[in-house]
Structure formats: C-alpha cells, structure tokens
Amino acid sequence: MSSAPEPTALKVVVIGAGIVGCSLADELTARGVHDVTVLDQGPLPAPGGSTSHAPGLVFQTGPSKTLTAFARYTVEKFSALEVDGLSCFHPVGGLELATTPERWADLHRKAGWAASWGVRGELVSPARCKELWPLVDESMILGGFHTPDDGLARAVLASRAQLSRARERGARFLERHTVTGIEQADGRVTGVVTDRGTFPATHVVSAAGFWGPVIGRMAGVDVPLLPLAHQYARTRPLPELAGANDSRTEASKPILRFQDRDLYFREHTDRIGIGSYAHRPLPVDPFAVLPYDEARARALDMPSSLPFTEEDWAPSWEDCRQLMPALRHTEIEEGFNGVFSFTPDGMPVLGEARALRGFWLAEAVWVTHSAGVAKAVAEWMVDGHPATDLHECDLHRFEEAQRSPAYVRDRGAQQFVEVYDVIHPLQPMERPRPLRVSPFHARQQELGAYFLEGGGWERPHWYEANAPLVDRTGPAEDRAPWSARHWSPVVAAEARATRDRVALYDMTPLRRLEVTGRGALAFLQRMTTNNLAKKPGAVTYTLLLDEKGGVRSDLTVARLAADRFQIGANSPADQVWLERHAPDDVHIRDITSGTCCVGVWGPLARALVQPLTRDDFSHEGFGYFRAKETHLGHVPVTALRLSYVGELGWELYTTADLGLRLWDTLWEAGRELGVIAAGRSAFNSLRLEKGYRAWGLDMTEEHSPYEAGLGFAVRMDRGDFLGRTALEHLPPPERRLTALLLDDPSAVVLGKEPVYVDGAPSGHVTSAAYGYTLGRCVAYAWLPPLPAGSAVHIEYFGEKVPATVAEEPLFDPKMDRIRR
C-alpha cells in the first residue's frame, strides 16, 4: 500500500477469536482502530481451535530472526498481562537435551543463533541438566541448551486478557457466529456473512487457524497450509512430583525437549504432559472438522481435539520411559490428537491477498509467535508497513507451482516430520522433485549436476564432470562433516575456471518481469531509487523501498524500448508490490516460466560469444550495463552485459523452447576455450568476493540502502520516489553490512553466526562462502561501524573464529575485469 488510511477509518472484522485474533484486536485497538469485530463459531474464551488445547511452550530460539523476534515480543507482552492475579506467561525456562553427538553439535549452533538474535542461553553439562530436571537419566545425556527466559504461555488466559482490553477500547467479540461467506465488490472486500447476520468491513482478517483454507475458499483466496494432528498425553500423578507445584502455577521445571526422539515435556502440577512428533503425519481435512457443538456431542472436548491413536503412541512411550525411569511405574491417564497448521516451509502466512484488497491472512501461527505476529499485522494494516521484516512470512512468497493442494500436502507433512530434525541450511526436501527444471536440465544431468532446490527449481550446485579440474595439491578450506554437506571440492575448480577461462551458469530461476505501457517509465521512476530515464539499451541497478526507507527488494531494470522494460526481481512479492501501485496504463507480466537465461562469464566470455553474432560485442560496441536484442547462431536472445560474479560476460535470455539450442550453441562454441558449466556454489563464492548483496540474506526491509552499502543506487537528485521522504530524515547509520575475512585460511562459516566485538555479541553473519580467489572465507555481517583492520570473532559451533574487517570491494576494486 502506498499510503495507509487513518486508523479511525478502518472497519475491521477478524475471523477467529483464538490467541491470534484476540492479540490482533488488542494491537489494532491500541493503535486507534476502534471499529473491530471479532467473530468465532465457538464459545468464548475457548472457542475450540488450536489455542484452546495448546500446551503453551514458548521456545524463542531458532534459525529465523523474524520468528525469534515474534517470540520475544510474545514473552514480553504476555509477561505483562494478568488474569485473576495469574500471569499469562510463566518463565520456567527451556531445556533442550542432546543424546547424540549430532544433536550436541546442533545445540552449539542453536546457542549461536541465540547470541545472534539476543536471547539468553547457555550450553550446560549433563549434571546441570539433571539438576534442572531430576527425573531424567543423566547417563543418556551429552549436554543441554538452557534458555532461562523461555516458558509457558497460558494461551486461553492471554486471550481473555487481550479480549478484555480490546473491548474496553471499543472492539466487539461475538461468539457462536459461523462465517458462511465473504462479500466483495470491485476487487475489494466489503463484509463478512455469518449465520447470524452480515458485518460490513473495509478490512477482513482470517485468523481462523486450521480453518484458514475454509475461509480462504469463501474469499477466493488459496491458503497454503495443511492441518495435522499431533499427539499430546498426560501421565497419572507421579510421586516424584508430589508437592513440587501448586495448582495455579502448575510447573516449576523448564519445558523440556528430547528432540532426538521428537518429544517434549512439561509439568501439569503432579503430572507430566508429553507431546510427540514421532508418529506418522496425520492430515486433517479442514472442511470436514466438526462444528463445536457437534464435536462435543461426539464426546470430543473441542473440534481441534481428536481421539488419541494408541498405536501411534506406543514407540514414543517407550522413549519417554527410557529418558525418565520414573515413568516406568505409571501410565498415560489421558491423551488426544490436537490439530494445528503447517505450511510448505514451516513459516506463517501473513499479508493482504493479491486478488482481493482488504482481505488479510494471519494464518499458520503458533502460540509461541502469536503476539509478535499480531503486532506486525496491525502495523502493516495501520501504518502501511510492519516494523519487522516479513519476507519469510509473506503469503506471496510461494511460486504458483508451490501452491497446488498436492504440494502443500506433501511439504506440509514433511515439515511435521522434520520439526525436530537437525536440518542443514542447504538441505532440500525430497518431494516433489523434480518439479521445475530449466531447458538445460538434460545437459546438466549428463554433466553430473548435483542439484539442490529453491522455489521449486532444480538448481545445479556443481558438476561432477569438473572433478578432473580439482587441484588436489593447492591450499583449500578445511571442511568438517557439517560444512562438507552439500559441498564438493569441485566448487573450487569451478570458481577458478570462471576466473581463468569461461563458464556457463544457469540463471533461469531468476525472476523476470516485463513492464510495458505508455506510463511504464514514469511508474518505475516513482517506484525505484535510481534513474531509469535513459535511452533504450540501458540497464540500471535500482532498489524498491517501502515507506520507511527499508529495502523491499533490489532490481536490475533493462530498458529494451521506450515503453518496454525487463526486470530481474527476487520473489513473487515484488510483482504484487508493483501491481498494487501500477496505474491503468502500465502492464506487468511474469515472463519467468516462458523464458530462460544463461550467464556466460569469465575473461574468455567475449571470445566465446562474439563469433556467434554479427553484432559488435566489444567493450566499445556493447558497454557494461547495456542491453541488446540480437541473435546467437539460430537463437534470438536478449543480451544484458551484467556480471554477478565479477567477470566479463553477459546474461543471455531467450524463450524456453529455444533454451536447449542456446545451451548447445554456447557449449559447442566454447569447447576450444575450455568452457565449463558451473553451479550456484561457485556463483555464491564469486559474488561474495565481489561484495554483491543478496536480498533476503544480506539486506531486508529492516535496513536502509546506506546501511547496506547500496547508497550508490539511490539518486536523490532526480525527483520523488517511494521511500524518499523517509531517507531524507534517516539518522546516521548505527550498523552497517560489513565485509569480514576469516584469519585462518582453512576456516569456514556458513551464515547466521554471532559476531563478537571486544568479547561481546554485536551482530550476526548474513552470507558466507569460501573465496577461492582470495584464499579466505568471506563473511558479511551486520555490525556497528568499524574501521578496516578491526579484529572480531565469529562463533562457529562454540568456537571463536578470528576474523578481520576488510575494505570493499575485496576483489578487483577498479572493476578492470568486468570492463575489459
């Protein structure tokens, strides 16, 4: 949204009075939105969704900085809320156990995340684990990770507290209202229809939990989440817990996770509650979930509480008794299969629908993140933008190929299976693959490509055909088992071949948009930071900002004709953002699937390409950041003289049907030059040596262009653009994206590790890769401004690795290699 309406002008209907809906009503009314109606089909304050049965575990630490921020806010907010003198958050702490060397190593990694995101945590000995949880068998444990500020959210109480505050500010909460339809006109939502009347609205938020797909279908909006049942059981009273807790506080020991067996534990006064992810996925059809009263009539506690499946529980019960010998003398008193939501990537689904303005989703949100999500969505609705970067949660992050019911089912079920697994940052899911392949896929297979997956695309990371090029005698980084996963020494050979000769890179997954129309130039000038008013044939690197000056995305814009532009973008959300601001005389089309791209890069790139065309590909005839529509052999191409690896070369685009012919033409022409195919691992190494940023990793909406080192792409002298006013009032940066070189030539880090300055955690790594040209691992990190040469330390699996702040660019500072 280019500008947010006044809060008092919003008429909001929230569907769902669980923890998310109540939190959102509280956050909206606190921001001056008083016309808020919250509807639910069940009775308040426990209407029968996931909130009503949630065990309330809040673990703040994880690989996502955004989810950690949500959890931290949830802890902070619920800690300040009380109902009947009882706090809505009980800070008993959290304890994760390692019973395998792999898990113990992963807890070191998790401790690094905690330091990166500002969460208190420490690795502890088996003896300390036993002290914190006397019932565990200390002999099984290698160590633990203790987080003293984690704890138990009392979800129903927190809902009551926020419901009460929102009501005092004017919000209405209506129970026993079943939504039957979403009214709309001219592409905007206008109201919500229930079995007890219609409620007009300018904004509708679906916070319906696992009923989200049901509400979405009424609005014509697909909601990519899969409801799954999850086992939870309580033991009979244990003599060992007698008198340990009173009935109000219920627990005194940390919430406990035994992730090597997919189990977690919490106290319920003198009983233990146990949750298991060890069983088979149990999908639930949200369209078949019983209404509240019918569920009660069938002896279910609530619609989200399904019968306990004993056959799934038996193996987990044996694992529980092994960890806690005291459980061998008791039995399970009660259990149920509770329903909650999983998405294809395990993240929430937030934002305003593309095709129905004013219809918002706040779905697939667990209690852990509920208040933080509500705050972000309320900011988004009221201010026009959230304060927290939400690109990992944006409902538009999924490609069309990732939105099919079959894909959502397969990936959602796998997210359940892997919820407690040790996951490598590059580890792809196994199904459904292959899904999206470039026209070059057959040739890549012939070359022994090692494929990983992103956005549904099969992406070669290296090629076994290049194994003979590996220099077994030269220096190389030291790869321990973790960093050696999804890596090969071939990566070094491919990087060096690119620097020395020429390589072909498959850039097909790069998102491509075509923007046309009489108003295209004026529109793009208004939306982006750089000057695009150049003659056709010009290519410009520019930024999309939000209203507060944060970097929404970075774009490469080629002006191919007076009213036709080709844009290299980052995600489907970029297209949605542009479409929402586009006037009627501008047309935006995603051309990614119908086209393909080969990057031809290296000092011999011109020698490869020039003989294939009659056009002049010399530096004088085809300058850097220029575009030309031409032919290479029999293939029409759009050639952009760009290089994301810091070498001479071109991005060559053609239609998908001609892609294989383009590849074969380039391959045959490059044989005598020693051309190779190179993968994304070499690509990432080369781009980091050159200091090229990757949006979503190195910078997001939380960062300004100046903090990210992208001020060169901002032209304040060429008129107004979205975000300009905010840039004019920014204070001096207190942090910068900083280049680091690890001191030890054999050391590597992978990303998200904490960076210590003068012994204190001061930032975190964004991107990292070994720089084969430099002979050092390169890491970029957000840090306070530091002069070049400053010494820092990066914590990698508990070890402090020395590094030095480096001057940018690290490689070819005069750009001689690109502009030759």
Side-chain angles (χ1 to χ4, degrees):
M1 291 179 286
S2 58
S3 60
E6 289 296 321
T8 53
L10 299 180
K11 180 185 287 290
V12 181
V13 174
V14 178
I15 301 172
I19 190 65
V20 178
C22 291
S23 296
L24 181 57
D26 184 47
E27 295 288 340
L28 285 170
T29 55
R31 287 166 174 77
V33 183
H34 302 300
D35 194 343
V36 177
T37 300
V38 183
L39 306 172
D40 205 292
Q41 62 181 341
L44 298 178
S50 301
T51 300
S52 304
H53 67 67
L57 282 66
V58 177
F59 281 95
Q60 299 174 78
T61 305
S64 168
K65 179 175 179 287
T66 296
L67 290 190
T68 298
F70 288 163
R72 289 183 65 184
Y73 182 77
T74 300
V75 168
E76 175 187 326
K77 183 176 186 180
F78 290 1
S79 295
L81 296 175
E82 286 190 0
V83 174
D84 299 331
L86 191 61
S87 173
C88 293
F89 184 76
H90 187 23
V92 294
L95 177 64
E96 299 179 52
L97 302 178
T99 60
T100 65
E102 184 182 35
R103 181 70 61 182
W104 183 226
D106 190 60
L107 292 187
H108 283 75
R109 185 169 63 125
K110 186 162 287 186
W113 292 338
S116 290
W117 316 143
V119 177
R120 285 202 305 154
E122 64 172 341
L123 296 164
V124 296
S125 67
R128 176 61 175 155
C129 294
K130 178 74 171 179
E131 182 181 340
L132 291 166
W133 253 93
L135 273 63
V136 301
D137 181 354
E138 182 181 350
S139 68
M140 291 181 58
I141 300 169
L142 300 180
F145 178 54
H146 181 222
T147 45
D149 299 323
D150 290 341
L152 297 168
R154 298 183 171 102
V156 174
L157 286 188
S159 296
R160 283 179 56 192
Q162 293 176 103
L163 181 155
S164 178
R165 293 204 311 193
R167 269 181 175 162
E168 290 174 359
R169 302 186 191 113
R172 292 188 298 170
F173 288 78
L174 302 177
E175 61 182 7
R176 303 289 187 175
H177 281 65
T178 299
V179 174
T180 59
I182 305 295
E183 292 189 331
Q184 50 189 286
D186 300 322
R188 289 203 63 94
V189 70
T190 59
V192 176
V193 182
T194 76
D195 58 350
R196 299 176 67 176
T198 298
F199 297 84
T202 62
H203 290 69
V204 173
V205 185
S206 177
F210 58 79
W211 282 289
V214 178
I215 303 301
R217 181 176 292 183
M218 296 177 192
V221 175
D222 63 307
V223 181
L225 67 81
L226 175 71
L228 286 152
H230 160 59
Q231 290 199 304
Y232 192 80
R234 297 191 194 196
T235 68
R236 292 175 178 171
L238 295 175
E240 292 83 355
L241 295 182
N245 308 299
D246 61 49
S247 59
R248 280 173 61 83
T249 58
E250 284 196 281
S252 56
K253 298 175 183 62
I255 46 180
L256 182 70
R257 287 202 281 190
F258 181 22
Q259 291 164 299
D260 290 321
R261 292 294 184 270
D262 296 307
L263 295 166
Y264 64 83
F265 305 83
R266 59 152 294 182
E267 293 173 290
H268 291 282
T269 312
D270 59 354
R271 296 164 170 81
I272 294 179
I274 307 165
S276 172
Y277 294 100
H279 55 82
R280 62 195 165 95
L282 299 168
V284 175
D285 181 359
F287 295 89
V289 175
L290 298 174
Y292 187 92
D293 290 328
E294 190 173 342
R296 297 285 288 180
R298 298 194 185 185
L300 299 175
D301 287 341
M302 60 192 77
S304 61
S305 178
L306 303 181
F308 195 61
T309 50
E310 293 282 356
E311 65 276 15
D312 292 306
W313 177 252
S316 290
W317 185 227
E318 289 305 311
D319 290 331
C320 294
R321 289 174 155 183
Q322 184 180 9
L323 179 68
M324 298 186 189
L327 298 181
R328 296 170 186 166
H329 309 297
T330 189
E331 298 295 337
I332 294 301
E333 186 173 66
E334 58 181 349
F336 65 95
N337 288 5
V339 184
F340 63 145
S341 304
F342 283 81
T343 60
D345 60 3
M347 299 294 287
V349 179
L350 312 177
E352 187 181 18
R354 179 178 187 173
L356 183 59
R357 299 301 304 274
F359 184 80
W360 294 73
L361 298 181
E363 298 291 8
V365 181
W366 295 6
V367 171
T368 303
H369 311 114
S370 55
V373 164
K375 175 176 178 288
V377 173
E379 291 168 341
W380 207 345
M381 295 174 68
V382 175
D383 303 328
H385 51 80
T388 303
D389 168 60
L390 298 184
H391 82 274
E392 293 178 307
C393 309
D394 193 314
L395 70 95
H396 303 113
R397 67 189 182 272
F398 296 112
E399 303 280 351
E400 190 63 32
Q402 297 175 296
R403 304 184 74 94
S404 70
Y407 186 95
V408 172
R409 182 183 64 248
D410 288 349
R411 289 290 170 100
Q414 191 62 23
Q415 287 291 338
F416 178 90
V417 170
E418 294 181 353
V419 70
Y420 277 172
D421 287 359
V422 177
I423 303 295
H424 191 277
L426 292 176
Q427 180 176 326
M429 287 197 173
E430 296 179 358
R431 295 190 309 162
R433 290 183 64 194
L435 181 62
R436 306 177 80 185
V437 298
S438 80
F440 325 129
H441 188 252
R443 298 293 183 263
Q444 293 165 346
Q445 288 179 307
E446 292 169 3
L447 294 169
Y450 183 88
F451 291 102
L452 298 178
E453 183 258 0
W457 288 100
E458 293 297 314
R459 303 185 182 203
H461 274 243
W462 69 84
Y463 296 85
E464 286 300 325
N466 296 322
L469 302 178
V470 174
D471 182 0
R472 305 289 181 182
T473 63
E477 74 272 38
D478 180 21
R479 292 275 173 167
W482 180 257
S483 60
R485 292 188 190 183
H486 309 296
W487 174 86
S488 166
V490 173
V491 174
E494 293 179 358
R496 293 186 181 111
T498 307
R499 292 278 189 241
D500 294 341
R501 299 192 305 279
V502 61
L504 305 185
Y505 287 83
D506 182 1
M507 302 300 292
T508 300
L510 172 70
R511 174 165 293 274
R512 292 172 289 286
L513 305 176
E514 182 183 71
V515 179
T516 58
R518 288 180 302 169
L521 175 60
F523 165 65
L524 291 174
Q525 285 282 79
R526 187 173 71 254
M527 293 300 298
T528 68
T529 61
N530 213 332
N531 183 21
L532 306 182
K534 303 170 184 176
K535 293 180 180 180
V539 182
T540 306
Y541 178 79
T542 188
L543 307 174
L544 288 178
L545 304 183
D546 64 12
E547 293 87 345
K548 67 179 187 300
V551 181
R552 272 194 64 91
S553 189
D554 63 341
L555 309 177
T556 302
V557 181
R559 190 176 191 185
L560 302 179
D563 58 358
R564 179 165 61 94
F565 296 81
Q566 179 175 305
I567 295 177
N570 284 296
S571 82
D574 292 344
Q575 181 177 356
V576 174
W577 178 257
L578 292 171
E579 286 174 340
R580 286 182 173 172
H581 292 84
D584 292 340
D585 61 351
V586 172
H587 308 284
I588 301 167
R589 185 167 67 101
D590 182 354
I591 61 173
T592 309
S593 296
T595 56
C596 59
C597 178
V598 182
V600 182
W601 291 311
L604 301 181
R606 182 175 291 115
L608 191 158
V609 174
Q610 183 63 81
L612 300 173
T613 179
R614 293 180 179 180
D615 284 306
D616 185 359
F617 270 58
S618 70
H619 183 63
E620 294 72 23
F622 196 157
Y624 189 52
F625 265 79
R626 299 292 298 173
K628 187 175 292 190
E629 293 182 296
T630 183
H631 288 79
L632 297 181
H634 298 90
V635 181
V637 300
T638 299
L640 274 57
R641 189 169 167 199
L642 304 175
S643 175
Y644 206 52
V645 300
E647 294 294 334
L648 170 69
W650 289 265
E651 293 178 358
L652 303 174
Y653 297 89
T654 192
T655 53
D657 59 323
L658 289 167
L660 191 58
R661 184 60 178 262
L662 175 62
W663 181 277
D664 289 345
T665 299
L666 294 168
W667 188 259
E668 186 61 32
R671 280 183 182 276
E672 63 183 27
L673 302 173
V675 70
I676 68 161
R680 292 191 66 83
S681 293
F683 176 87
N684 196 46
S685 168
L686 297 169
R687 71 98 179 167
L688 281 172
E689 288 186 329
K690 195 60 184 163
Y692 293 147
R693 277 64 166 147
W695 185 85
L697 289 176
D698 299 317
M699 72 280 189
T700 68
E701 291 180 59
E702 294 184 355
H703 309 112
S704 78
Y706 308 117
E707 292 174 319
L710 298 175
F712 67 88
V714 179
R715 290 289 299 274
M716 299 292 283
D717 60 349
R718 60 93 175 155
D720 194 22
F721 56 83
L722 183 60
R724 177 192 170 117
T725 301
L727 293 185
E728 290 176 336
H729 298 92
L730 287 178
E734 297 182 358
R735 58 184 176 176
R736 293 187 187 276
L737 188 61
T738 304
L740 305 175
L741 285 175
L742 273 61
D743 295 350
D744 182 349
S746 66
V748 294
V749 297
L750 300 181
K752 299 189 178 181
E753 297 89 356
V755 182
Y756 289 75
V757 179
D758 296 328
S762 303
H764 67 277
V765 174
T766 59
S767 295
Y770 198 85
Y772 297 100
T773 317
L774 302 173
R776 292 284 192 282
C777 182
V778 180
Y780 273 80
W782 282 103
L783 291 171
L786 294 171
S790 298
V792 301
H793 287 84
I794 302 172
E795 184 179 311
Y796 183 71
F797 284 92
E799 179 185 354
K800 297 293 196 304
V801 179
T804 301
V805 174
E807 195 80 47
E808 289 192 87
L810 305 176
F811 174 76
D812 188 24
K814 295 182 179 180
M815 303 283 283
D816 293 332
R817 298 177 70 91
I818 293 177
R819 295 193 173 103
R820 64 171 91 193

